[in-house]
Amino acid sequence: MSSYLFTSESVSEGHPDKICDQISDTIADLFYQRNGKDARIAVEALATTQKVVLAGEVRGDVSHDEMIQAARDTVRRIGYEQDGFHWENMSVDCYVHEQSAHIAQGVDDSADLKGQEGAGDQGIMFGYACNETDELMPAPILLAHKMLRYLADSRHGGEARLLPDAKSQVTLRYENGKPVAVDTVLVSHQHAAGLTPGDVKELVRPDVARALAESGWEIPEDKFYVNPTGTFEIGGPDGDAGLTGRKIIVDTYGGAARHGGGAFSGKDCTKVDRSAAYAARYIAKNVVAAGLADRCEIQLSYAIGVARPLSIFVDTFGTGRVDEERLGELLNEFADFSPAGIRNMLDLAKPIYARTAAYGHFGRQPDNDGGFSWERLNLVDELKRALS
């Protein structure tokens, strides 16, 4: 279709599922701080009324007490001090245990490249980039994230009437594949007792307007919905249970690209669900930044215990300026897509993960300490030279 509407959603750091993602990744950072590249982490969290449960398997020197404290510290940082969910009063049960020896044997010594790490699981992973925003991301998911980040900043800055749990949703109108207008904006935000939906609408308006204005757009007043169900006082895990890994579309491209189904948070970089998705985004972003395509999606597939990917597939959706088969061959020369190769290429064996667990893993600015390294554009010149 030449003209269509497309929608993406985001959730705040205080959403029940995002609380769990942040707990899992805070624990992942602890293991990397203590154990470096030898850390093995697969930690899941569940949150409900006044309770967090931790489970999974690990290898490394971090105690149960430290994991429990990490959960409390995460909930406190987010800002939960409610009767139904309070960082100090909630109970935290930890059932994390040692990594399976059968998984470890394949990860530590791959079946195809002896002495190298094998993939920590089988599966398919996708990376995507497009040129409709400066961040080379789809515009709806970026706007949905940005609104909630600004609202969280206001809450942490002292706006006590806004509470941690929130969702956003943005619908853009596209013409010939490019976003041209904001059609609908939806925000559902937990709030202090006694506020009307109209009160909450005016509370969130400045941050929503700021997020849209930075892209040159305005709030569509006739389609600006805030708390359409009415009251939203009971929120967070007291209102709805949360689990690690349930917001995989929020974490990636807002539905604008395919997804292999694997979650990221709480996993070390031998888990290709995480690291290969980062690598695929890194390469796709550099391809688009180099002007080789307007859109680029890369699929990688793996077998557990095998280092080399089973397949690499490149799709430029008819926007490519070079042959896709040649591009696929070239990318295999530019990048080592084995778990160890990805870890070294993106410098992933670091405590850089808690910051990824809210407001998206992609479209962020690379940090000086190596965080969001997959967002760098340091392959652009090499790609241009290779295909000139």
Side-chain angles (χ1 to χ4, degrees):
M1 294 184 293
S2 61
S3 178
Y4 58 90
L5 300 177
F6 190 82
T7 303
S8 295
E9 72 157 350
S10 180
V11 298
S12 72
E13 65 198 46
H15 184 279
D17 295 329
K18 276 288 139 203
I19 296 170
C20 294
D21 285 342
Q22 290 166 91
I23 289 172
S24 294
D25 270 341
T26 299
I27 291 171
D29 282 354
L30 273 178
F31 274 88
Y32 272 122
Q33 286 170 356
R34 196 75 54 81
N35 304 280
K37 68 181 182 63
D38 294 325
R40 298 290 183 267
I41 313 129
V43 174
E44 313 287 341
L46 176 149
T48 186
T49 301
Q50 285 294 56
K51 180 179 280 293
V52 168
V53 179
L54 306 176
E57 53 181 40
V58 296
R59 187 175 75 191
D61 181 24
V62 177
S63 70
H64 277 201
D65 286 344
E66 290 173 300
M67 288 185 256
I68 289 169
Q69 188 60 50
R72 293 194 187 280
D73 291 344
T74 300
V75 173
R76 177 168 61 176
R77 177 186 56 76
I78 293 168
Y80 272 103
E81 296 184 344
Q82 301 171 10
D83 290 340
F85 197 68
H86 194 297
W87 65 270
E88 191 172 27
N89 301 330
M90 68 184 188
S91 65
V92 185
D93 298 332
C94 186
Y95 300 103
V96 176
H97 57 82
E98 287 292 312
Q99 184 185 51
S100 161
H102 292 169
I103 293 177
Q105 67 185 2
V107 172
D108 293 340
D109 190 7
S110 69
D112 57 330
L113 296 175
K114 290 299 182 182
Q116 287 204 26
E117 295 167 0
D121 204 350
Q122 73 173 55
I124 56 175
M125 298 84 209
F126 290 92
Y128 179 76
C130 61
N131 65 1
E132 65 187 63
T133 62
D134 291 341
E135 295 86 351
L136 304 184
M137 286 283 289
I141 188 66
L142 278 187
L143 288 171
H145 286 324
K146 188 176 288 189
M147 291 172 187
L148 293 183
R149 286 204 313 271
Y150 289 163
L151 285 163
D153 290 344
S154 294
R155 180 173 59 83
H156 288 300
E159 180 46 81
R161 292 171 294 178
L162 293 177
L163 300 181
D165 195 0
K167 286 186 173 184
S168 64
Q169 191 166 286
V170 176
T171 302
L172 298 185
R173 179 173 295 282
Y174 281 72
E175 299 287 349
N176 298 316
K178 299 295 183 183
V180 297
V182 180
D183 183 84
T184 307
V185 172
L186 167 63
V187 176
S188 295
H189 210 299
Q190 187 187 12
H191 58 83
L195 297 183
T196 67
D199 295 332
V200 180
K201 189 172 191 176
E202 295 314 306
L203 270 179
V204 306
R205 178 185 295 277
D207 289 317
V208 171
R210 176 188 169 197
L212 292 175
E214 290 177 353
S215 296
W217 289 322
E218 298 179 350
I219 293 174
E221 289 296 338
D222 59 332
K223 291 186 178 181
F224 178 33
Y225 302 103
V226 176
N227 288 11
T229 63
T231 304
F232 185 8
E233 295 175 7
I234 301 171
D238 190 32
D240 190 11
L243 291 169
T244 299
R246 277 207 302 202
K247 288 294 176 283
I248 58 176
I249 301 303
V250 170
D251 283 343
T252 52
Y253 307 101
R258 286 172 282 196
H259 197 295
F264 300 156
S265 292
K267 297 177 180 178
D268 70 82
C269 58
T270 69
K271 308 294 191 297
V272 283
D273 278 339
R274 176 169 229 159
S275 57
Y278 290 170
R281 161 65 178 173
Y282 174 58
I283 299 299
K285 184 177 182 182
N286 276 268
V287 166
V288 173
L292 305 180
D294 294 340
R295 298 168 62 200
C296 181
E297 185 178 77
I298 294 174
Q299 184 205 57
L300 302 170
S301 70
Y302 292 85
I304 188 168
V306 178
R308 295 185 184 91
L310 305 183
S311 64
I312 300 173
F313 174 71
V314 180
D315 189 354
T316 57
F317 305 95
T319 70
R321 296 172 184 87
V322 296
D323 180 72
E324 287 179 345
E325 184 175 354
R326 170 62 184 138
L327 182 58
E329 293 171 354
L330 180 67
L331 297 183
N332 212 9
E333 298 169 11
F334 265 72
D336 178 354
F337 290 111
S338 69
I342 294 171
R343 183 191 69 218
N344 295 332
M345 176 174 67
L346 300 179
D347 199 13
L348 295 179
K350 287 183 173 181
I352 55 174
Y353 296 106
R355 72 192 75 171
T356 70
Y359 311 119
H361 292 246
F362 307 123
R364 310 281 287 270
Q365 287 297 313
D367 294 326
N368 292 333
D369 65 354
F372 300 105
S373 60
W374 48 93
E375 293 296 313
R376 295 175 300 170
L377 292 174
N378 55 335
L379 297 180
V380 169
D381 291 340
E382 292 180 68
L383 284 167
K384 286 180 177 178
R385 281 196 298 270
L387 288 167
S388 62

